[in-house]
Amino acid sequence: MIDKLINKLQKEGKIRKQKAGIIQVEALLKDAMSDLREAKRITQLAERATYMLAYVAMLKAGRALLLLKGYIPDDGAQHKTVVEVTSAILGDKYKSLTEQFESMRRKRNEMTYGAGVLLSKSEAQIAFSDAISFVKKIFAEVKSQNPQLELEFSLTNETKKIS
């Protein structure tokens, strides 16, 4: 299924092959982790900023997963493409998380380009929690394909190795 989607998206010009080393993948994941740490620091102060940082962390982790598979988005709808391919790669087991990623993408779009979009504190907290789960899953996926990688997931100064 994933191969069929990849071929379709390549033909449509939505993704293209990209050679990348694990260093680039790791850099995106480290940035995602940094976004989550920042979101954690402001979660009680700024719902919109927490939500946006959680979404951006998911986007960076999704881009890292695509890059790990040898592709990058290459169209005017890069966020949507990242969500679509990430959902296909992670599969049905993570369907609720990838559906939340898509929902957050749409809400982020409304918040960015619209006016007066409401966002509750609980929406921001759920987005933050789901972003943590999503990024952890992608960390684990990358680690499983590169066991020698010293990649760690941490929301504090304490580090927890992903196995």
Side-chain angles (χ1 to χ4, degrees):
M1 177 177 147
I2 184 68
D3 292 333
K4 189 175 181 179
L5 175 64
I6 294 289
N7 289 335
K8 174 186 172 274
L9 293 175
Q10 278 185 293
K11 286 177 185 171
E12 293 173 355
K14 293 184 177 186
I15 62 171
R16 67 177 162 84
K17 281 216 170 274
Q18 176 72 38
K19 286 186 180 183
I22 196 66
I23 291 169
Q24 290 91 346
V25 172
E26 186 177 14
L28 281 167
L29 290 173
K30 284 180 179 178
D31 278 355
M33 193 70 252
S34 179
D35 290 337
L36 289 175
R37 279 192 207 101
E38 287 181 29
K40 182 180 181 189
R41 284 195 294 271
I42 63 167
T43 192
Q44 298 302 318
L45 304 171
E47 293 87 16
R48 294 172 73 81
T50 299
Y51 190 92
M52 296 295 250
L53 283 166
Y55 171 75
V56 169
M58 292 173 89
L59 182 66
K60 288 175 183 174
R63 289 180 69 91
L65 186 60
L66 264 68
L67 199 53
L68 180 70
K69 301 294 184 185
Y71 297 94
I72 60 168
D74 193 32
D75 66 345
Q78 290 189 19
H79 291 225
K80 187 173 184 170
T81 300
V82 169
V83 171
E84 185 176 5
V85 178
T86 300
S87 297
I89 292 169
L90 294 179
D92 287 342
K93 185 175 178 185
Y94 295 94
K95 187 173 180 148
S96 65
L97 272 180
T98 56
E99 285 175 346
Q100 172 69 347
F101 188 19
E102 170 60 14
S103 175
M104 288 172 66
R105 181 194 67 78
R106 282 187 259 120
K107 182 90 171 195
R108 189 242 19 135
N109 202 40
E110 291 173 20
M111 290 167 56
T112 301
Y113 302 110
V117 177
L118 299 177
L119 180 76
S120 70
K121 189 172 204 155
S122 67
E123 275 182 289
Q125 289 172 340
I126 289 168
F128 177 61
S129 176
D130 286 346
I132 291 168
S133 298
F134 185 84
V135 173
K136 275 185 178 179
K137 169 57 187 153
I138 292 177
F139 261 69
E141 180 75 19
V142 170
K143 185 80 171 165
S144 75
Q145 293 190 29
N146 296 280
Q148 77 285 358
L149 187 64
E150 290 296 318
L151 193 60
E152 297 177 356
F153 182 94
S154 173
L155 287 179
T156 65
N157 291 337
E158 246 178 69
T159 57
K160 298 174 190 164
K161 287 199 178 206
I162 298 295
S163 53

mmCIF file of all heavy atoms in Angstrom, residues 77-127:
data_model
loop_
_atom_site.group_PDB
_atom_site.id
_atom_site.type_symbol
_atom_site.label_atom_id
_atom_site.label_comp_id
_atom_site.label_asym_id
_atom_site.label_seq_id
_atom_site.Cartn_x
_atom_site.Cartn_y
_atom_site.Cartn_z
ATOM 1 N N ALA A 77 1.565 21.889 -1.158
ATOM 2 C CA ALA A 77 0.775 21.399 -0.023
ATOM 3 C C ALA A 77 1.631 20.458 0.820
ATOM 4 O O ALA A 77 1.243 19.337 1.125
ATOM 5 C CB ALA A 77 -0.475 20.690 -0.524
ATOM 6 N N GLN A 78 2.818 20.928 1.185
ATOM 7 C CA GLN A 78 3.777 20.056 1.859
ATOM 8 C C GLN A 78 3.260 19.496 3.178
ATOM 9 O O GLN A 78 3.485 18.330 3.490
ATOM 10 C CB GLN A 78 5.094 20.784 2.071
ATOM 11 C CG GLN A 78 5.825 21.014 0.774
ATOM 12 C CD GLN A 78 7.226 21.550 0.982
ATOM 13 O OE1 GLN A 78 7.801 21.449 2.054
ATOM 14 N NE2 GLN A 78 7.777 22.124 -0.071
ATOM 15 N N HIS A 79 2.565 20.309 3.958
ATOM 16 C CA HIS A 79 2.063 19.822 5.239
ATOM 17 C C HIS A 79 1.095 18.659 5.016
ATOM 18 O O HIS A 79 1.196 17.625 5.671
ATOM 19 C CB HIS A 79 1.357 20.937 6.009
ATOM 20 C CG HIS A 79 2.269 22.010 6.500
ATOM 21 N ND1 HIS A 79 2.182 22.511 7.778
ATOM 22 C CD2 HIS A 79 3.274 22.692 5.912
ATOM 23 C CE1 HIS A 79 3.100 23.450 7.951
ATOM 24 N NE2 HIS A 79 3.766 23.578 6.827
ATOM 25 N N LYS A 80 0.163 18.827 4.085
ATOM 26 C CA LYS A 80 -0.811 17.777 3.796
ATOM 27 C C LYS A 80 -0.116 16.516 3.293
ATOM 28 O O LYS A 80 -0.475 15.397 3.667
ATOM 29 C CB LYS A 80 -1.831 18.273 2.769
ATOM 30 C CG LYS A 80 -2.953 17.309 2.547
ATOM 31 C CD LYS A 80 -4.029 17.893 1.674
ATOM 32 C CE LYS A 80 -5.168 16.891 1.569
ATOM 33 N NZ LYS A 80 -6.346 17.435 0.951
ATOM 34 N N THR A 81 0.886 16.692 2.451
ATOM 35 C CA THR A 81 1.630 15.555 1.918
ATOM 36 C C THR A 81 2.358 14.816 3.036
ATOM 37 O O THR A 81 2.349 13.581 3.082
ATOM 38 C CB THR A 81 2.620 16.020 0.833
ATOM 39 O OG1 THR A 81 1.875 16.652 -0.219
ATOM 40 C CG2 THR A 81 3.421 14.871 0.269
ATOM 41 N N VAL A 82 2.976 15.538 3.948
ATOM 42 C CA VAL A 82 3.674 14.908 5.081
ATOM 43 C C VAL A 82 2.674 14.100 5.918
ATOM 44 O O VAL A 82 2.952 12.963 6.292
ATOM 45 C CB VAL A 82 4.414 15.949 5.946
ATOM 46 C CG1 VAL A 82 4.911 15.329 7.250
ATOM 47 C CG2 VAL A 82 5.567 16.564 5.172
ATOM 48 N N VAL A 83 1.513 14.678 6.185
ATOM 49 C CA VAL A 83 0.495 13.975 6.965
ATOM 50 C C VAL A 83 0.067 12.695 6.242
ATOM 51 O O VAL A 83 0.001 11.622 6.849
ATOM 52 C CB VAL A 83 -0.734 14.874 7.232
ATOM 53 C CG1 VAL A 83 -1.880 14.072 7.839
ATOM 54 C CG2 VAL A 83 -0.367 16.039 8.144
ATOM 55 N N GLU A 84 -0.191 12.798 4.944
ATOM 56 C CA GLU A 84 -0.669 11.653 4.164
ATOM 57 C C GLU A 84 0.354 10.514 4.140
ATOM 58 O O GLU A 84 0.010 9.354 4.389
ATOM 59 C CB GLU A 84 -0.993 12.105 2.737
ATOM 60 C CG GLU A 84 -1.608 11.044 1.865
ATOM 61 C CD GLU A 84 -2.003 11.545 0.487
ATOM 62 O OE1 GLU A 84 -1.720 12.716 0.138
ATOM 63 O OE2 GLU A 84 -2.598 10.747 -0.258
ATOM 64 N N VAL A 85 1.599 10.832 3.855
ATOM 65 C CA VAL A 85 2.622 9.789 3.762
ATOM 66 C C VAL A 85 2.942 9.222 5.148
ATOM 67 O O VAL A 85 3.090 8.004 5.308
ATOM 68 C CB VAL A 85 3.896 10.299 3.051
ATOM 69 C CG1 VAL A 85 4.962 9.214 3.007
ATOM 70 C CG2 VAL A 85 3.566 10.767 1.642
ATOM 71 N N THR A 86 3.027 10.069 6.138
ATOM 72 C CA THR A 86 3.289 9.603 7.502
ATOM 73 C C THR A 86 2.189 8.645 7.952
ATOM 74 O O THR A 86 2.472 7.596 8.542
ATOM 75 C CB THR A 86 3.391 10.800 8.478
ATOM 76 O OG1 THR A 86 4.445 11.649 8.057
ATOM 77 C CG2 THR A 86 3.660 10.332 9.900
ATOM 78 N N SER A 87 0.947 8.995 7.662
ATOM 79 C CA SER A 87 -0.183 8.133 8.019
ATOM 80 C C SER A 87 -0.054 6.768 7.363
ATOM 81 O O SER A 87 -0.289 5.739 7.997
ATOM 82 C CB SER A 87 -1.504 8.786 7.603
ATOM 83 O OG SER A 87 -1.692 9.996 8.292
ATOM 84 N N ALA A 88 0.325 6.749 6.098
ATOM 85 C CA ALA A 88 0.486 5.489 5.373
ATOM 86 C C ALA A 88 1.637 4.666 5.934
ATOM 87 O O ALA A 88 1.528 3.444 6.084
ATOM 88 C CB ALA A 88 0.699 5.756 3.886
ATOM 89 N N ILE A 89 2.738 5.314 6.259
ATOM 90 C CA ILE A 89 3.906 4.602 6.792
ATOM 91 C C ILE A 89 3.594 4.001 8.161
ATOM 92 O O ILE A 89 3.902 2.840 8.423
ATOM 93 C CB ILE A 89 5.140 5.530 6.875
ATOM 94 C CG1 ILE A 89 5.623 5.895 5.470
ATOM 95 C CG2 ILE A 89 6.262 4.858 7.675
ATOM 96 C CD1 ILE A 89 6.674 7.005 5.444
ATOM 97 N N LEU A 90 2.960 4.775 9.035
ATOM 98 C CA LEU A 90 2.684 4.280 10.388
ATOM 99 C C LEU A 90 1.549 3.261 10.416
ATOM 100 O O LEU A 90 1.514 2.402 11.297
ATOM 101 C CB LEU A 90 2.383 5.453 11.328
ATOM 102 C CG LEU A 90 3.545 6.411 11.587
ATOM 103 C CD1 LEU A 90 3.109 7.529 12.519
ATOM 104 C CD2 LEU A 90 4.760 5.694 12.129
ATOM 105 N N GLY A 91 0.628 3.365 9.469
ATOM 106 C CA GLY A 91 -0.422 2.363 9.324
ATOM 107 C C GLY A 91 -1.570 2.478 10.309
ATOM 108 O O GLY A 91 -1.653 3.406 11.117
ATOM 109 N N ASP A 92 -2.447 1.481 10.234
ATOM 110 C CA ASP A 92 -3.691 1.480 11.017
ATOM 111 C C ASP A 92 -3.478 1.443 12.521
ATOM 112 O O ASP A 92 -4.303 1.951 13.278
ATOM 113 C CB ASP A 92 -4.575 0.298 10.607
ATOM 114 C CG ASP A 92 -5.213 0.521 9.248
ATOM 115 O OD1 ASP A 92 -5.265 1.684 8.780
ATOM 116 O OD2 ASP A 92 -5.658 -0.475 8.636
ATOM 117 N N LYS A 93 -2.379 0.867 12.948
ATOM 118 C CA LYS A 93 -2.113 0.769 14.389
ATOM 119 C C LYS A 93 -2.047 2.165 15.036
ATOM 120 O O LYS A 93 -2.407 2.337 16.195
ATOM 121 C CB LYS A 93 -0.804 0.013 14.621
ATOM 122 C CG LYS A 93 -0.497 -0.248 16.074
ATOM 123 C CD LYS A 93 0.737 -1.097 16.244
ATOM 124 C CE LYS A 93 1.038 -1.310 17.705
ATOM 125 N NZ LYS A 93 2.279 -2.010 17.923
ATOM 126 N N TYR A 94 -1.636 3.139 14.252
ATOM 127 C CA TYR A 94 -1.495 4.509 14.773
ATOM 128 C C TYR A 94 -2.491 5.463 14.116
ATOM 129 O O TYR A 94 -2.269 6.667 14.069
ATOM 130 C CB TYR A 94 -0.050 4.990 14.598
ATOM 131 C CG TYR A 94 0.883 4.166 15.434
ATOM 132 C CD1 TYR A 94 1.534 3.063 14.904
ATOM 133 C CD2 TYR A 94 1.049 4.444 16.783
ATOM 134 C CE1 TYR A 94 2.351 2.267 15.689
ATOM 135 C CE2 TYR A 94 1.859 3.658 17.576
ATOM 136 C CZ TYR A 94 2.508 2.570 17.023
ATOM 137 O OH TYR A 94 3.305 1.776 17.813
ATOM 138 N N LYS A 95 -3.597 4.891 13.658
ATOM 139 C CA LYS A 95 -4.593 5.673 12.931
ATOM 140 C C LYS A 95 -5.133 6.854 13.750
ATOM 141 O O LYS A 95 -5.291 7.947 13.222
ATOM 142 C CB LYS A 95 -5.738 4.772 12.473
ATOM 143 C CG LYS A 95 -6.714 5.465 11.571
ATOM 144 C CD LYS A 95 -7.742 4.516 11.010
ATOM 145 C CE LYS A 95 -8.669 5.310 10.121
ATOM 146 N NZ LYS A 95 -9.189 4.579 9.026
ATOM 147 N N SER A 96 -5.411 6.646 15.024
ATOM 148 C CA SER A 96 -5.964 7.749 15.820
ATOM 149 C C SER A 96 -4.961 8.897 15.939
ATOM 150 O O SER A 96 -5.345 10.067 15.880
ATOM 151 C CB SER A 96 -6.422 7.276 17.200
ATOM 152 O OG SER A 96 -5.338 6.839 17.973
ATOM 153 N N LEU A 97 -3.677 8.571 16.074
ATOM 154 C CA LEU A 97 -2.653 9.628 16.143
ATOM 155 C C LEU A 97 -2.505 10.348 14.812
ATOM 156 O O LEU A 97 -2.373 11.577 14.780
ATOM 157 C CB LEU A 97 -1.301 9.047 16.550
ATOM 158 C CG LEU A 97 -0.996 8.941 18.023
ATOM 159 C CD1 LEU A 97 0.397 8.348 18.238
ATOM 160 C CD2 LEU A 97 -1.119 10.259 18.736
ATOM 161 N N THR A 98 -2.523 9.603 13.718
ATOM 162 C CA THR A 98 -2.353 10.252 12.420
ATOM 163 C C THR A 98 -3.613 11.037 12.037
ATOM 164 O O THR A 98 -3.514 12.062 11.363
ATOM 165 C CB THR A 98 -1.935 9.267 11.315
ATOM 166 O OG1 THR A 98 -2.879 8.214 11.218
ATOM 167 C CG2 THR A 98 -0.554 8.692 11.603
ATOM 168 N N GLU A 99 -4.780 10.589 12.499
ATOM 169 C CA GLU A 99 -6.000 11.377 12.289
ATOM 170 C C GLU A 99 -5.930 12.678 13.079
ATOM 171 O O GLU A 99 -6.360 13.729 12.607
ATOM 172 C CB GLU A 99 -7.240 10.571 12.670
ATOM 173 C CG GLU A 99 -7.590 9.518 11.638
ATOM 174 C CD GLU A 99 -8.751 8.623 12.049
ATOM 175 O OE1 GLU A 99 -9.148 8.626 13.245
ATOM 176 O OE2 GLU A 99 -9.258 7.897 11.174
ATOM 177 N N GLN A 100 -5.379 12.618 14.278
ATOM 178 C CA GLN A 100 -5.197 13.834 15.077
ATOM 179 C C GLN A 100 -4.204 14.777 14.388
ATOM 180 O O GLN A 100 -4.393 15.988 14.369
ATOM 181 C CB GLN A 100 -4.718 13.481 16.492
ATOM 182 C CG GLN A 100 -4.326 14.665 17.351
ATOM 183 C CD GLN A 100 -5.482 15.572 17.769
ATOM 184 O OE1 GLN A 100 -6.590 15.496 17.261
ATOM 185 N NE2 GLN A 100 -5.203 16.468 18.690
ATOM 186 N N PHE A 101 -3.160 14.223 13.797
ATOM 187 C CA PHE A 101 -2.181 15.015 13.042
ATOM 188 C C PHE A 101 -2.898 15.772 11.919
ATOM 189 O O PHE A 101 -2.694 16.974 11.737
ATOM 190 C CB PHE A 101 -1.096 14.082 12.496
ATOM 191 C CG PHE A 101 0.096 14.723 11.849
ATOM 192 C CD1 PHE A 101 0.449 16.055 12.061
ATOM 193 C CD2 PHE A 101 0.914 13.965 11.014
ATOM 194 C CE1 PHE A 101 1.570 16.618 11.455
ATOM 195 C CE2 PHE A 101 2.032 14.514 10.408
ATOM 196 C CZ PHE A 101 2.353 15.844 10.622
ATOM 197 N N GLU A 102 -3.765 15.090 11.178
ATOM 198 C CA GLU A 102 -4.524 15.736 10.102
ATOM 199 C C GLU A 102 -5.468 16.802 10.649
ATOM 200 O O GLU A 102 -5.571 17.904 10.106
ATOM 201 C CB GLU A 102 -5.304 14.696 9.286
ATOM 202 C CG GLU A 102 -6.298 15.272 8.296
ATOM 203 C CD GLU A 102 -5.710 16.187 7.222
ATOM 204 O OE1 GLU A 102 -4.472 16.221 7.025
ATOM 205 O OE2 GLU A 102 -6.499 16.893 6.564
ATOM 206 N N SER A 103 -6.128 16.498 11.737
ATOM 207 C CA SER A 103 -7.030 17.468 12.362
ATOM 208 C C SER A 103 -6.257 18.713 12.817
ATOM 209 O O SER A 103 -6.705 19.848 12.617
ATOM 210 C CB SER A 103 -7.732 16.810 13.552
ATOM 211 O OG SER A 103 -8.509 17.735 14.249
ATOM 212 N N MET A 104 -5.103 18.484 13.402
ATOM 213 C CA MET A 104 -4.268 19.607 13.849
ATOM 214 C C MET A 104 -3.757 20.413 12.663
ATOM 215 O O MET A 104 -3.652 21.638 12.732
ATOM 216 C CB MET A 104 -3.105 19.100 14.706
ATOM 217 C CG MET A 104 -3.546 18.621 16.070
ATOM 218 S SD MET A 104 -2.218 17.815 17.002
ATOM 219 C CE MET A 104 -1.104 19.191 17.272
ATOM 220 N N ARG A 105 -3.464 19.734 11.555
ATOM 221 C CA ARG A 105 -3.008 20.442 10.359
ATOM 222 C C ARG A 105 -4.095 21.408 9.885
ATOM 223 O O ARG A 105 -3.822 22.581 9.608
ATOM 224 C CB ARG A 105 -2.669 19.452 9.235
ATOM 225 C CG ARG A 105 -2.155 20.133 7.965
ATOM 226 C CD ARG A 105 -2.152 19.200 6.775
ATOM 227 N NE ARG A 105 -3.482 18.819 6.339
ATOM 228 C CZ ARG A 105 -4.301 19.602 5.606
ATOM 229 N NH1 ARG A 105 -3.926 20.802 5.234
ATOM 230 N NH2 ARG A 105 -5.490 19.163 5.251
ATOM 231 N N ARG A 106 -5.328 20.927 9.838
ATOM 232 C CA ARG A 106 -6.435 21.782 9.393
ATOM 233 C C ARG A 106 -6.658 22.942 10.361
ATOM 234 O O ARG A 106 -6.856 24.080 9.944
ATOM 235 C CB ARG A 106 -7.706 20.956 9.217
ATOM 236 C CG ARG A 106 -7.685 20.165 7.920
ATOM 237 C CD ARG A 106 -9.011 19.464 7.641
ATOM 238 N NE ARG A 106 -8.851 18.069 8.010
ATOM 239 C CZ ARG A 106 -9.568 17.428 8.925
ATOM 240 N NH1 ARG A 106 -10.541 18.024 9.556
ATOM 241 N NH2 ARG A 106 -9.320 16.175 9.211
ATOM 242 N N LYS A 107 -6.626 22.654 11.651
ATOM 243 C CA LYS A 107 -6.844 23.700 12.662
ATOM 244 C C LYS A 107 -5.707 24.728 12.614
ATOM 245 O O LYS A 107 -5.942 25.926 12.698
ATOM 246 C CB LYS A 107 -6.938 23.066 14.052
ATOM 247 C CG LYS A 107 -7.203 24.029 15.165
ATOM 248 C CD LYS A 107 -8.678 24.185 15.376
ATOM 249 C CE LYS A 107 -8.973 24.972 16.631
ATOM 250 N NZ LYS A 107 -10.357 24.840 17.026
ATOM 251 N N ARG A 108 -4.468 24.259 12.455
ATOM 252 C CA ARG A 108 -3.334 25.180 12.347
ATOM 253 C C ARG A 108 -3.496 26.076 11.134
ATOM 254 O O ARG A 108 -3.232 27.274 11.183
ATOM 255 C CB ARG A 108 -2.025 24.397 12.253
ATOM 256 C CG ARG A 108 -0.796 25.282 12.362
ATOM 257 C CD ARG A 108 0.157 25.354 11.203
ATOM 258 N NE ARG A 108 -0.249 24.964 9.910
ATOM 259 C CZ ARG A 108 0.019 25.666 8.810
ATOM 260 N NH1 ARG A 108 0.658 26.809 8.874
ATOM 261 N NH2 ARG A 108 -0.354 25.230 7.634
ATOM 262 N N ASN A 109 -3.974 25.516 10.054
ATOM 263 C CA ASN A 109 -4.205 26.292 8.841
ATOM 264 C C ASN A 109 -5.249 27.386 9.096
ATOM 265 O O ASN A 109 -5.057 28.542 8.710
ATOM 266 C CB ASN A 109 -4.656 25.358 7.706
ATOM 267 C CG ASN A 109 -4.421 25.941 6.349
ATOM 268 O OD1 ASN A 109 -3.401 26.574 6.101
ATOM 269 N ND2 ASN A 109 -5.367 25.740 5.456
ATOM 270 N N GLU A 110 -6.341 27.032 9.750
ATOM 271 C CA GLU A 110 -7.376 28.009 10.098
ATOM 272 C C GLU A 110 -6.818 29.092 11.013
ATOM 273 O O GLU A 110 -7.102 30.273 10.829
ATOM 274 C CB GLU A 110 -8.546 27.322 10.808
ATOM 275 C CG GLU A 110 -9.374 26.418 9.938
ATOM 276 C CD GLU A 110 -10.412 25.648 10.759
ATOM 277 O OE1 GLU A 110 -10.752 26.070 11.888
ATOM 278 O OE2 GLU A 110 -10.880 24.605 10.264
ATOM 279 N N MET A 111 -6.040 28.684 11.998
ATOM 280 C CA MET A 111 -5.472 29.642 12.952
ATOM 281 C C MET A 111 -4.467 30.572 12.273
ATOM 282 O O MET A 111 -4.339 31.736 12.646
ATOM 283 C CB MET A 111 -4.809 28.904 14.120
ATOM 284 C CG MET A 111 -5.804 28.223 15.038
ATOM 285 S SD MET A 111 -5.069 27.041 16.210
ATOM 286 C CE MET A 111 -3.868 28.026 17.057
ATOM 287 N N THR A 112 -3.764 30.056 11.278
ATOM 288 C CA THR A 112 -2.750 30.845 10.593
ATOM 289 C C THR A 112 -3.366 31.810 9.597
ATOM 290 O O THR A 112 -2.958 32.972 9.518
ATOM 291 C CB THR A 112 -1.749 29.915 9.866
ATOM 292 O OG1 THR A 112 -1.135 29.063 10.841
ATOM 293 C CG2 THR A 112 -0.669 30.704 9.143
ATOM 294 N N TYR A 113 -4.348 31.353 8.838
ATOM 295 C CA TYR A 113 -4.884 32.156 7.742
ATOM 296 C C TYR A 113 -6.255 32.754 8.016
ATOM 297 O O TYR A 113 -6.715 33.595 7.256
ATOM 298 C CB TYR A 113 -4.921 31.315 6.454
ATOM 299 C CG TYR A 113 -3.546 30.801 6.095
ATOM 300 C CD1 TYR A 113 -3.234 29.450 6.209
ATOM 301 C CD2 TYR A 113 -2.553 31.668 5.666
ATOM 302 C CE1 TYR A 113 -1.962 28.981 5.899
ATOM 303 C CE2 TYR A 113 -1.278 31.208 5.370
ATOM 304 C CZ TYR A 113 -1.002 29.860 5.480
ATOM 305 O OH TYR A 113 0.256 29.412 5.181
ATOM 306 N N GLY A 114 -6.901 32.319 9.082
ATOM 307 C CA GLY A 114 -8.221 32.835 9.418
ATOM 308 C C GLY A 114 -8.146 33.790 10.587
ATOM 309 O O GLY A 114 -7.067 34.117 11.090
ATOM 310 N N ALA A 115 -9.291 34.250 11.006
ATOM 311 C CA ALA A 115 -9.355 35.151 12.154
ATOM 312 C C ALA A 115 -10.430 34.657 13.111
ATOM 313 O O ALA A 115 -11.438 34.086 12.686
ATOM 314 C CB ALA A 115 -9.675 36.568 11.695
ATOM 315 N N GLY A 116 -10.220 34.863 14.386
ATOM 316 C CA GLY A 116 -11.214 34.523 15.382
ATOM 317 C C GLY A 116 -11.410 33.038 15.618
ATOM 318 O O GLY A 116 -12.445 32.621 16.136
ATOM 319 N N VAL A 117 -10.438 32.217 15.256
ATOM 320 C CA VAL A 117 -10.542 30.772 15.464
ATOM 321 C C VAL A 117 -10.374 30.479 16.953
ATOM 322 O O VAL A 117 -9.407 30.919 17.575
ATOM 323 C CB VAL A 117 -9.485 30.008 14.634
ATOM 324 C CG1 VAL A 117 -9.556 28.521 14.901
ATOM 325 C CG2 VAL A 117 -9.658 30.315 13.155
ATOM 326 N N LEU A 118 -11.333 29.767 17.505
ATOM 327 C CA LEU A 118 -11.294 29.453 18.925
ATOM 328 C C LEU A 118 -10.492 28.190 19.185
ATOM 329 O O LEU A 118 -10.511 27.249 18.392
ATOM 330 C CB LEU A 118 -12.720 29.269 19.459
ATOM 331 C CG LEU A 118 -13.637 30.487 19.337
ATOM 332 C CD1 LEU A 118 -15.030 30.131 19.826
ATOM 333 C CD2 LEU A 118 -13.074 31.674 20.096
ATOM 334 N N LEU A 119 -9.795 28.211 20.302
ATOM 335 C CA LEU A 119 -9.005 27.059 20.719
ATOM 336 C C LEU A 119 -9.096 26.968 22.235
ATOM 337 O O LEU A 119 -8.741 27.921 22.936
ATOM 338 C CB LEU A 119 -7.535 27.226 20.286
ATOM 339 C CG LEU A 119 -6.616 26.090 20.664
ATOM 340 C CD1 LEU A 119 -6.841 24.894 19.737
ATOM 341 C CD2 LEU A 119 -5.168 26.522 20.608
ATOM 342 N N SER A 120 -9.568 25.838 22.725
ATOM 343 C CA SER A 120 -9.706 25.682 24.172
ATOM 344 C C SER A 120 -8.403 25.186 24.787
ATOM 345 O O SER A 120 -7.539 24.643 24.101
ATOM 346 C CB SER A 120 -10.835 24.693 24.484
ATOM 347 O OG SER A 120 -10.446 23.383 24.125
ATOM 348 N N LYS A 121 -8.333 25.368 26.084
ATOM 349 C CA LYS A 121 -7.168 24.881 26.823
ATOM 350 C C LYS A 121 -7.065 23.360 26.698
ATOM 351 O O LYS A 121 -5.978 22.813 26.530
ATOM 352 C CB LYS A 121 -7.280 25.291 28.293
ATOM 353 C CG LYS A 121 -6.052 25.030 29.097
ATOM 354 C CD LYS A 121 -6.171 25.634 30.486
ATOM 355 C CE LYS A 121 -4.783 25.882 31.008
ATOM 356 N NZ LYS A 121 -4.725 26.927 31.999
ATOM 357 N N SER A 122 -8.209 22.671 26.751
ATOM 358 C CA SER A 122 -8.175 21.206 26.642
ATOM 359 C C SER A 122 -7.730 20.773 25.248
ATOM 360 O O SER A 122 -7.015 19.773 25.129
ATOM 361 C CB SER A 122 -9.529 20.590 27.001
ATOM 362 O OG SER A 122 -10.511 20.932 26.056
ATOM 363 N N GLU A 123 -8.116 21.493 24.186
ATOM 364 C CA GLU A 123 -7.633 21.169 22.838
ATOM 365 C C GLU A 123 -6.117 21.269 22.772
ATOM 366 O O GLU A 123 -5.457 20.424 22.172
ATOM 367 C CB GLU A 123 -8.218 22.131 21.793
ATOM 368 C CG GLU A 123 -9.564 21.784 21.262
ATOM 369 C CD GLU A 123 -10.004 22.774 20.208
ATOM 370 O OE1 GLU A 123 -10.323 23.932 20.567
ATOM 371 O OE2 GLU A 123 -10.014 22.404 19.015
ATOM 372 N N ALA A 124 -5.582 22.321 23.371
ATOM 373 C CA ALA A 124 -4.129 22.512 23.369
ATOM 374 C C ALA A 124 -3.443 21.402 24.145
ATOM 375 O O ALA A 124 -2.414 20.876 23.720
ATOM 376 C CB ALA A 124 -3.774 23.877 23.947
ATOM 377 N N GLN A 125 -4.005 21.018 25.282
ATOM 378 C CA GLN A 125 -3.405 19.963 26.094
ATOM 379 C C GLN A 125 -3.473 18.604 25.391
ATOM 380 O O GLN A 125 -2.508 17.829 25.441
ATOM 381 C CB GLN A 125 -4.069 19.914 27.472
ATOM 382 C CG GLN A 125 -3.692 21.117 28.313
ATOM 383 C CD GLN A 125 -4.468 21.213 29.619
ATOM 384 O OE1 GLN A 125 -5.531 20.621 29.781
ATOM 385 N NE2 GLN A 125 -3.932 21.979 30.552
ATOM 386 N N ILE A 126 -4.588 18.318 24.727
ATOM 387 C CA ILE A 126 -4.711 17.067 23.977
ATOM 388 C C ILE A 126 -3.720 17.063 22.817
ATOM 389 O O ILE A 126 -3.047 16.056 22.561
ATOM 390 C CB ILE A 126 -6.160 16.858 23.483
ATOM 391 C CG1 ILE A 126 -7.064 16.542 24.671
ATOM 392 C CG2 ILE A 126 -6.234 15.758 22.423
ATOM 393 C CD1 ILE A 126 -8.554 16.610 24.356
ATOM 394 N N ALA A 127 -3.601 18.185 22.120
ATOM 395 C CA ALA A 127 -2.655 18.291 21.002
ATOM 396 C C ALA A 127 -1.235 18.046 21.492
ATOM 397 O O ALA A 127 -0.463 17.317 20.857
ATOM 398 C CB ALA A 127 -2.762 19.662 20.341
#
